[in-house]
Amino acid sequence: MPRIRENNNLLELTYKGPTTELMEDRKQFWKPEVNINFNSSAEEMKKMLEYLGFTEVARVNKKRKKFILGKQEVVFDEIERLGSFIE
């Protein structure tokens, strides 16, 4: 599923492929991700995805705080209307 992300006024088109049966069997909860940075507006990126046949499903507004200790990274997400999450 493609996503348009905005972070610090930078736009990024992100794509993660579908979950396969093998992933489900292995209980693999991560997927490879492709990120492409754009200089266009979010509206132009949305139009491109619509022309390719995608439709908007949801908008997610998230605030993220990242903490690093040694090689470990902990991320706290505050997602509007959904709550708080740790990754």
Side-chain angles (χ1 to χ4, degrees), residues 1-3 14-18 54 57:
M1 168 185 348
R3 288 182 266 174
T14 301
Y15 180 80
K16 285 186 181 182
F54 292 97
V57 176

Side-chain angles (χ1 to χ4, degrees), residues 2 4 43-56 59:
I4 299 170
E43 286 306 311
E44 288 175 322
M45 291 170 65
K46 183 180 172 191
K47 278 185 198 176
M48 181 187 72
L49 292 173
E50 288 171 350
Y51 290 149
L52 292 171
F54 292 97
T55 57
E56 184 174 324
R59 287 185 183 229

Side-chain angles (χ1 to χ4, degrees), residues 77-79 82-86:
D77 290 334
E78 186 68 35
I79 302 175
L82 290 177
S84 302
F85 300 86
I86 298 175

Side-chain angles (χ1 to χ4, degrees), residues 6-8 10-11 16 19-22 26-27 32 36 38 47 51-52 55 61 63-64 68-69 71 75-77 85:
E6 184 175 354
N7 188 15
N8 296 326
L10 298 175
L11 290 173
K16 285 186 181 182
T19 301
T20 64
E21 286 185 33
L22 182 59
R26 292 181 178 175
K27 306 242 184 283
I36 301 170
F38 280 86
K47 278 185 198 176
Y51 290 149
L52 292 171
T55 57
N61 293 313
K63 292 182 182 174
R64 173 169 276 191
I68 298 174
L69 179 62
K71 294 182 181 179
V75 180
F76 293 91
D77 290 334
F85 300 86

